[in-house]
Amino acid sequence: MVVLRKALPDDVYAMAHIEHAAFSDPWPASGFRELLAASAARVTIADRAGTIVGYTVMMIAADEAELANIAVRDTERGLGLGRRLLDAALAAAVGEGVRWVYLEVRESNAAARGLYTSAGFTVIGRRARYYDKPTEDALLMRWDAPA
């Protein structure tokens, strides 16, 4: 059973480990530590029997939010955990009065794009050469909260 909960300082190392395995240009552990202290950040952990298996990072400002990061441990992919984390983040954002959630995704990341599209995100733009390692465009996507 996986429990979703607020991230704690002791979770930083596990989050950084998942981040390094999931992304070619990962955030450092220090970035996660800083996020936990930021009032705008909402960091949620997926915990399976004491093991961190995924997380989301959302930044909220007024009635807008950015899904800054979502990652799932490689052994947990394909089991619906990414969708569960995403749905929980969107529900929490709506609970805080958010009307729009934005994100960037690598154009080549078909799995993530499929997840976001299935959750109701639409492509609204492109950020040229947004990503490094390798250099690649990002698609800018937006989700509109239900009226």
Side-chain angles (χ1 to χ4, degrees):
M1 182 166 101
V2 175
V3 174
L4 302 185
R5 62 171 174 78
K6 182 178 177 180
L8 303 170
D10 287 347
D11 300 325
V12 166
Y13 175 77
M15 289 173 19
H17 180 76
I18 293 169
E19 175 84 3
H20 281 265
F23 300 108
S24 61
D25 192 15
W27 293 358
S30 61
F32 287 106
R33 275 192 292 278
E34 290 170 12
L35 282 168
L36 293 182
S39 63
R42 307 296 183 270
V43 185
T44 300
I45 292 296
D47 183 320
R48 181 186 298 281
T51 299
I52 307 303
V53 295
Y55 61 87
T56 57
V57 176
M58 183 171 288
M59 304 299 289
I60 295 180
D63 61 355
E64 295 184 354
E66 177 186 5
L67 181 62
N69 207 339
I70 181 170
V72 173
R73 190 178 184 154
D74 58 352
T75 58
E76 300 284 328
R77 291 187 191 143
L79 303 175
L81 183 55
R83 181 57 185 255
R84 186 170 167 207
L85 281 162
L86 178 59
D87 288 347
L90 295 174
V94 168
E96 292 195 44
V98 168
R99 295 180 58 199
W100 303 280
V101 177
Y102 298 89
L103 62 82
E104 290 93 6
V105 61
R106 279 186 184 271
E107 186 172 22
S108 66
N109 191 341
R113 288 174 50 197
L115 171 66
Y116 300 140
T117 300
S118 73
F121 281 85
T122 57
V123 174
I124 61 167
R126 173 184 300 272
R127 298 190 194 282
R129 304 176 60 82
Y130 181 82
Y131 290 104
D132 292 326
K133 299 179 185 177
T135 301
E136 184 175 355
D137 290 357
L139 297 179
L140 177 61
M141 301 183 82
R142 185 182 75 207
W143 177 84
D144 298 346

